[in-house]
């Protein structure tokens, strides 16, 4: 905590810095995240600046985080950046698996921000466990309701081709690393959601 506070004290106030930022992993092409571009589109329409952190220096990222009023990101290492936001900021974390990232709790506590969690995934399979994916994200009912609460009317959208790509990647990944494919817990709930979203 002392280290984080020491770093935050070096943050520069910049009135021109964007007030709403969405930190994205979509430009990494790491193969583990599918569908984040659809989440990006929602936040872009809500007035968020889409930020690919790997394209900025740490000092530039720190300035954006310190000056923002609302920070959004998918849950995982990228959302841990919330610890560099001011306590009065809002943090929106988009969940991409049914299990919570345990490190995020510590980051949230350090940040002291107002938190909003959105379950926007249908990650039915895992290869190396819940925390390692692959992950499938899409604009589901939860994301649609969140957007509507912010004045943006959007319908849920299930990108079937992206989902099939996700499934194929899961099987390829399992074969490549000779791992057993794991089906997530609460499978009945998520299979029901899949049927509803594909055929609605």
């Amino acid at each position: 905590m002392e280290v984080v506070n020491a770093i935050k004290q070096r943050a520069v106030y910049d009135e021109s810095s964007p007030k709403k930022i969405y930190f994205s992993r979509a430009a990494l092409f790491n193969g583990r995240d599918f569908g984040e571009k659809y989440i990006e589109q929602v936040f872009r329409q809500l007035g968020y600046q889409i930020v690919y952190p790997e394209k900025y220096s740490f000092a530039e990222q720190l300035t954006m985080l310190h000056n923002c009023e609302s920070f959004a990101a998918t849950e995982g290492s990228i959302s841990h950046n919330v610890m560099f936001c001011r306590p009065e900021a809002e943090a929106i974390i988009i969940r991409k698996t049914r299990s919570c990232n345990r490190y995020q709790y510590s980051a949230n506590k350090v940040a002291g921000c107002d938190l909003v969690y959105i379950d926007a995934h249908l990650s039915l399979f895992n290869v190396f466990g819940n925390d390692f994916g692959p992950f499938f994200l899409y604009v589901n009912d939860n994301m649609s309701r969140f957007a509507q609460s912010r004045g943006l009317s959007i319908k849920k959208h299930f990108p079937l081709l992206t989902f099939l790509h996700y499934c194929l990647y899961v099987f390829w990944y399992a074969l490549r690393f000779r791992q057993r494919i794991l089906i997530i817990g609460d499978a009945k709930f998520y299979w029901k959601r899949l049927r509803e979203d594909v055929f609605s």
Side-chain angles (χ1 to χ4, degrees):
M1 183 113 173
E2 291 179 7
V3 174
V4 173
N5 287 333
I7 293 171
K8 289 170 77 170
Q9 287 174 5
R10 293 177 174 267
V12 177
Y13 175 73
D14 184 357
E15 193 173 329
S16 64
S17 188
K19 300 305 176 191
K20 298 196 288 187
I21 56 175
Y22 177 94
F23 269 33
S24 174
R25 293 170 54 87
L28 289 176
F29 304 109
N30 66 352
R32 288 196 303 141
D33 297 288
F34 294 84
E36 187 174 8
K37 65 180 181 180
Y38 303 107
I39 306 298
E40 274 187 12
Q41 289 171 5
V42 173
F43 279 90
R44 186 176 287 111
Q45 290 178 70
L46 287 169
Y48 283 72
Q49 179 171 319
I50 308 303
V51 177
Y52 304 107
E54 65 276 11
K55 297 183 179 181
Y56 296 88
S57 68
F58 177 70
E60 290 171 323
Q61 293 178 49
L62 183 61
T63 297
M64 284 187 277
L65 291 162
H66 178 72
N67 287 279
C68 76
E69 295 173 357
S70 184
F71 165 76
T74 56
E75 189 171 24
S77 56
I78 197 163
S79 61
H80 300 344
N81 285 294
V82 70
M83 69 178 70
F84 298 113
C85 293
R86 289 172 292 128
E88 58 268 26
E90 171 190 52
I92 302 166
I93 298 172
I94 298 95
R95 301 192 60 231
K96 56 186 185 178
T97 180
R98 65 180 288 272
S99 63
C100 292
N101 184 298
R102 54 193 177 276
Y103 300 116
Q104 189 62 45
Y105 296 130
S106 299
N108 293 344
K109 189 173 181 180
V110 170
C113 296
D114 289 331
L115 292 167
V116 176
Y117 273 85
I118 306 169
D119 184 343
H121 74 92
L122 198 57
S123 304
L124 296 174
F125 311 106
N126 296 297
V127 179
F128 291 118
N130 290 334
D131 294 338
F132 298 99
F135 307 105
F136 174 73
L137 292 157
Y138 70 114
V139 179
N140 62 7
D141 284 332
N142 299 324
M143 182 59 68
S144 177
R145 282 193 297 270
F146 167 77
Q148 288 174 3
S149 74
R150 304 296 170 101
L152 176 64
S153 180
I154 59 167
K155 294 180 180 179
K156 68 179 182 179
H157 168 67
F158 189 86
L160 185 57
L161 287 178
T162 304
F163 181 74
L164 293 175
H165 187 194
Y166 155 76
C167 292
L168 287 172
Y169 184 80
V170 167
F171 289 106
W172 173 82
Y173 211 59
L175 287 172
R176 179 183 176 194
F177 294 101
R178 297 178 183 175
Q179 296 289 323
R180 184 167 59 94
I181 296 173
L182 305 172
I183 298 176
I184 63 167
D186 299 329
K188 286 184 179 179
F189 170 80
Y190 287 104
W191 284 109
K192 181 183 177 185
R193 178 182 283 183
L194 175 63
R195 289 195 302 271
E196 290 173 350
D197 289 344
V198 169
F199 296 108
S200 63

